[in-house]
Amino acid sequence: MSELNSIIAQTTGYKNSRQATANFILSRPDVMDDFMLICFDNNNPDHYKACWAMELIALENLNLLQNYLLLICSKSKTLSNESAIRPLSKVIFLLLEAHYKTAKTEIHFTEIQLQELIEINFDWLITETKVASKVYSMRCLYLLGKEFDWITPELQSILTKDFSNHTAAYKAVSKHILKKIK
């Protein structure tokens, strides 16, 4: 087992453990390609742990992910583990937020990648994913709706229809997004 695989396998849910894994990858850019492949490998039993570290890497140095936008956009829909989807949904939100602040970042999605992100986020919003993923999906779709006019009425309809069926966290963010839309 490679050093990278071993470090990911030993990662726990504790913040210090996740941060240690992220720090290892940040200090070794030569492992970034292998690391990103692990994140999206459903056959790797620790891929969700790699996604935990990816979230912390994104918070520390988002531009490191620019070379992996194609992978992120094409493979996110293949993930089914909730423990991988939650951090990935946050990473996608951070990337989209940066994309729309083009003057301050190197993150630039193509039209095709944005279309894939629209599909992924609507899927996560309307399927049985956990609330945190849904919340990030709402935020992503709100941002995407500024460029793609048809998204906003769809998002508004979904949030209004589903409002009463969800948790307080979902309702709070939903209410905030609906307020911004109006």
Side-chain angles (χ1 to χ4, degrees):
M1 180 185 273
S2 75
E3 183 180 16
L4 175 62
N5 283 317
S6 177
I7 286 171
I8 292 170
Q10 293 171 29
T11 304
T12 67
Y14 291 106
K15 171 80 178 203
N16 289 345
S17 177
R18 292 179 288 130
Q19 189 65 58
T21 302
N23 290 344
F24 172 80
I25 293 149
L26 287 164
S27 69
R28 300 269 313 273
D30 58 304
V31 302
M32 194 68 180
D33 289 350
D34 292 334
F35 168 72
M36 290 301 289
L37 291 175
I38 292 169
C39 289
F40 295 97
D41 180 2
N42 278 316
N43 294 322
N44 184 320
D46 298 314
H47 78 281
Y48 67 95
K49 295 177 182 182
C51 289
W52 293 347
M54 183 184 10
E55 176 184 355
L56 297 174
I57 289 167
L59 289 168
E60 186 131 346
N61 188 350
L62 191 61
N63 289 330
L64 276 180
L65 299 179
Q66 172 62 42
N67 293 336
Y68 303 98
L69 298 182
L70 178 64
L71 178 69
I72 291 167
C73 293
S74 65
K75 294 293 186 182
S76 291
K77 61 183 156 249
T78 67
L79 296 181
S80 57
N81 185 317
E82 287 287 343
S83 292
I85 292 171
R86 207 259 346 125
L88 184 59
S89 66
K90 183 173 182 177
V91 168
I92 290 172
F93 171 70
L94 294 170
L95 289 167
L96 278 170
E97 196 174 47
H99 169 80
Y100 287 111
K101 293 178 184 172
T102 53
K104 297 180 181 178
T105 185
E106 298 171 17
I107 304 299
H108 304 288
F109 288 103
T110 67
E111 180 79 19
I112 290 169
Q113 291 168 341
L114 290 172
Q115 294 297 330
E116 288 175 313
L117 292 177
I118 292 167
E119 179 185 335
I120 291 162
N121 280 288
F122 269 120
D123 283 349
W124 287 341
L125 183 60
I126 63 175
T127 59
E128 292 302 315
T129 55
K130 295 219 171 156
V131 171
S133 302
K134 289 180 181 294
V135 164
Y136 285 116
S137 293
M138 283 180 218
R139 291 175 173 157
C140 288
L141 290 166
Y142 174 75
L143 290 174
L144 288 159
K146 292 178 177 185
E147 183 173 350
F148 302 94
D149 294 345
W150 66 269
I151 292 174
T152 302
E154 283 293 317
L155 178 59
Q156 189 173 22
S157 173
I158 290 167
L159 296 182
T160 303
K161 181 179 69 103
D162 290 352
F163 188 83
S164 62
N165 302 329
H166 286 284
T167 65
Y170 180 99
K171 288 177 182 176
V173 175
S174 179
K175 190 174 181 180
H176 179 72
I177 298 283
L178 288 168
K179 195 180 219 181
K180 284 174 123 177
I181 289 173
K182 293 176 182 177

